[in-house]
Amino acid sequence: MPQEEKYRKRLNTELERRRLASLMNKTKWAEFEKAMEEELPFPPPCARKDVLEEEYHALTEDVFYWGDLVPRHLTILGLQ
């Protein structure tokens, strides 16, 4: 079984086990991303935690960089 297929299987198993589901479709994600880019005066800081990660490291200090709003959510969620 290819590595990507194994990852998707593990991910789907964990999503089912924890009863997690997406509440936003591609259109809503695109609208959200557009609003973030066009309406905020600066890119917001963000922290990401993947479903299969054991630990989460939240932002604990003010950030000093400009965020990167590449549409990663589509790739992460397997929607692209």
Side-chain angles (χ1 to χ4, degrees):
M1 181 181 299
Q3 192 70 14
E4 184 177 329
E5 195 174 326
K6 287 180 183 179
Y7 178 81
R8 285 184 183 269
K9 184 174 175 134
R10 281 183 47 223
L11 179 60
N12 287 330
T13 300
E14 186 63 16
L15 291 172
E16 287 177 20
R17 184 185 75 77
R18 293 170 48 187
R19 297 181 181 171
L20 298 175
S22 176
L23 299 177
M24 292 174 49
N25 60 22
K26 287 183 186 182
T27 303
K28 292 295 182 189
W29 276 114
E31 290 173 359
F32 177 69
E33 182 179 7
K34 183 178 179 185
M36 297 277 280
E37 291 175 347
E38 295 178 357
E39 297 178 23
L40 292 177
F42 56 86
C46 63
R48 183 183 108 195
K49 181 188 183 301
D50 291 333
V51 173
L52 297 177
E53 284 181 356
E54 293 294 323
E55 294 184 29
Y56 171 65
H57 303 286
L59 297 174
T60 57
E61 301 175 4
D62 288 338
V63 294
F64 58 88
Y65 59 86
W66 289 95
D68 180 12
L69 295 177
V70 175
R72 292 188 193 124
H73 61 272
L74 295 178
T75 305
I76 293 166
L77 298 173
L79 299 175
Q80 193 170 30

